[in-house]
Amino acid sequence: MERLFKLNELGTNVRTEVIAGFTTFLTMVYIVVVNPAILSAAGVPFDQVFIATILAAVIGTLIMAFSANYPIAVAPGMGLNAYFTSVVISQGVSYQVVFGTVFLAGLLFLLLTFTKFREMLIQSIPASIKYGITSGIGLFIAFIGLQMSGLVVASPATLVTIGDLRSPITALTILGLFITFVLIARNIKGALFIGMLVTALVGYFTGHLEINGIVSTPPPIVFFDIDIAGVFSHALYTVVFAFLLVTIFDTTGTLIGVAEQAGLMKDGKMKKAKSALTADAVATTVGSALGTSPSTAYIESSAGVAAGGRSGLTALVVAILFMVALFFSPLVSAISALPAITAPALIIVGCYMMEGLAKINWKKFDDAFPSFAIILTMPLTSSIATGIAIGFITYPVIKLVSGKGKEVHPILYIFGIIFAIQMVFFPAH
């Protein structure tokens, strides 16, 4: 195991990687319940999405584990599932047709992965933008944790405000945060995972974690419930483009952010970028054939990295746990239904991901503002892709008007224009 995943070389061990895998899984397992809930609104059978979500996650994460040796998990992405449902409702087409758009986007995604395009894209992104992406993702997942727990709530006057701290779930989240703070302050290994475990036990004994069942038989697998011909008859080309564009930059941004956090970026490059990028492309293609929206590298992987995960063994543990989840859907559903268990980890990991801000030259406006724009828009729009788009648009523009246009890689100009057009005419929301 140590040789296969190069644990000694990466400065880690089996125990740390297993704990990191459990930590990542617990922070992202909500997708097993949330994804079917969202896609069922588009008419897709709940059980079909449940098993498709798990199988897409397993396939993508196993590729990430063995081919790339990165501690990054893959699963159907949040935001993309909501867009899927909105297309079905707004376009008046069947969900099978929209699965056809996802399948085509996945194939294009896969073809691009076998070229040098995506690796070139990662290498062309300046350091300040990479740090901005990492920090923006940190704020985004911290904001998700705050929302999940009720620590911040919607407000008609100010959009968001502090929640009711006397609410049982919010109070349990605060307790979970405090417990995890203490563990981290005492340098306890696996503090995030232990914090979640203690919070779950408290939730169970106080009646907030309701477990109505443990084991169940997995639902049957449905293959190729898609309508590719319908994509052409309804001319849904812009939908294919939107899925492709959002998936590419969502997962690329996440890969950069998590890899940077894990110290896997060397001189601004990912050593096994092509292998890592293949994982989500395959998961998206296979997932659409099974019955789920596009897959992406998961930002919650940063929780496992924060717990010490550095190799593909972390991802392997996540994949195994997803397979196990097939048989424990009642238990998984119960745990993921109590946000106080995972919210503290997301909030704390958000803090960890702010580290890169110190490396941005804030006195150099043409570097600082695009990073600031990314950091600001990711949590406020609840979209990693939108934050990246803003960065790609503002960076070349500011450099150009500053007389430093030659410092910008040509591909950034191209994508700056593409993103501007996409955001104005084909917004994916």
Side-chain angles (χ1 to χ4, degrees):
M1 194 70 74
E2 291 185 356
R3 289 183 178 180
L4 178 61
F5 294 106
K6 301 179 180 178
L7 301 186
N8 290 332
E9 183 181 322
L10 294 169
T12 184
N13 55 59
V14 173
R15 179 179 177 275
T16 299
E17 294 293 303
V18 170
I19 290 175
F22 268 90
T23 303
T24 294
F25 175 75
L26 286 175
T27 57
M28 67 181 288
V29 69
Y30 67 85
I31 195 63
V32 173
V33 175
V34 174
N35 201 44
I38 292 175
L39 294 191
S40 62
V44 191
F46 189 98
D47 285 347
Q48 180 180 340
V49 186
F50 173 77
I51 193 167
T53 300
I54 290 178
L55 292 181
V58 169
I59 292 168
T61 305
L62 284 177
I63 295 173
M64 189 71 74
F66 290 107
S67 183
N69 195 27
Y70 284 157
I72 300 173
V74 176
M78 288 295 292
L80 292 167
N81 46 16
Y83 178 57
F84 181 101
T85 300
S86 71
V87 171
V88 172
I89 295 172
S90 63
Q91 298 288 336
V93 296
S94 68
Y95 69 80
Q96 288 91 344
V97 172
V98 186
F99 277 140
T101 65
V102 177
F103 184 76
L104 292 175
L107 286 179
L108 291 172
F109 195 14
L110 199 54
L111 290 173
L112 287 175
T113 300
F114 289 119
T115 69
K116 292 185 177 180
F117 170 76
R118 291 186 67 187
E119 289 183 75
M120 180 179 68
L121 175 61
I122 291 178
Q123 294 170 15
S124 70
I125 301 175
S128 60
I129 296 295
K130 290 175 182 174
Y131 295 134
I133 290 171
T134 307
S135 301
I137 291 173
L139 279 185
F140 178 46
I141 64 174
F143 188 54
I144 289 174
L146 292 171
Q147 287 179 306
M148 287 168 53
S149 63
L151 278 167
V152 297
V153 295
S155 167
T158 60
L159 296 182
V160 292
T161 187
I162 191 167
D164 181 5
L165 302 185
R166 295 171 297 179
S167 166
I169 301 302
T170 306
L172 184 58
T173 301
I174 294 172
L175 176 63
L177 273 169
F178 179 75
I179 291 169
T180 312
F181 287 159
V182 172
L183 293 169
I184 293 173
R186 302 296 299 175
N187 294 317
I188 303 297
K189 288 274 188 176
L192 290 174
F193 175 68
I194 297 171
M196 282 188 253
L197 182 61
V198 174
T199 305
L201 289 173
V202 173
Y204 178 75
F205 288 112
T206 56
H208 296 107
L209 178 58
E210 298 181 7
I211 301 175
N212 299 316
I214 304 295
V215 181
S216 66
T217 303
I221 301 174
V222 178
F223 289 101
F224 291 99
D225 190 16
I226 57 179
D227 181 2
I228 297 177
V231 177
F232 298 98
S233 62
H234 290 90
L236 297 178
Y237 309 115
T238 57
V239 176
V240 175
F241 178 74
F243 274 130
L244 176 63
L245 203 62
V246 173
T247 305
I248 284 177
F249 284 96
D250 218 348
T251 197
T252 299
T254 300
L255 283 172
I256 291 172
V258 178
E260 185 72 47
Q261 181 195 7
L264 299 172
M265 297 284 285
K266 305 298 181 184
D267 299 321
K269 299 179 181 180
M270 292 179 68
K271 190 175 181 180
K272 293 187 176 180
K274 186 173 290 186
S275 298
L277 299 167
T278 300
D280 48 280
V282 172
T284 293
T285 308
V286 175
S288 65
L290 293 170
T292 186
S293 48
S295 294
T296 179
Y298 249 64
I299 55 176
E300 283 82 357
S301 302
S302 54
V305 169
R310 292 295 181 272
S311 78
L313 181 53
T314 294
L316 174 59
V317 171
V318 174
I320 291 172
L321 290 173
F322 266 112
M323 283 296 292
V324 172
L326 272 175
F327 302 92
F328 291 87
S329 59
L331 181 61
V332 170
S333 178
I335 292 174
S336 61
L338 183 59
I341 296 174
T342 55
L346 295 178
I347 295 167
I348 292 170
V349 168
C351 172
Y352 285 154
M353 297 186 74
M354 295 294 106
E355 181 183 357
L357 292 179
K359 301 175 183 178
I360 298 173
N361 185 355
W362 292 102
K363 294 182 179 180
K364 192 176 179 182
F365 185 78
D366 51 347
D367 278 345
F369 185 81
S371 300
F372 166 75
I374 293 170
I375 296 165
L376 183 69
T377 53
M378 276 191 188
L380 292 183
T381 63
S382 295
S383 171
I384 294 172
T386 298
I388 294 170
I390 296 297
F392 270 64
I393 293 169
T394 56
Y395 184 83
V397 169
I398 294 177
K399 285 290 186 181
L400 194 61
V401 298
S402 301
K404 303 175 183 177
K406 292 183 178 180
E407 294 181 8
V408 182
H409 194 287
I411 198 171
L412 295 186
Y413 286 113
I414 295 171
F415 274 97
I417 294 170
I418 291 174
F419 268 126
I421 295 171
Q422 187 262 328
M423 289 187 69
V424 174
F425 298 103
F426 312 112
H429 56 68

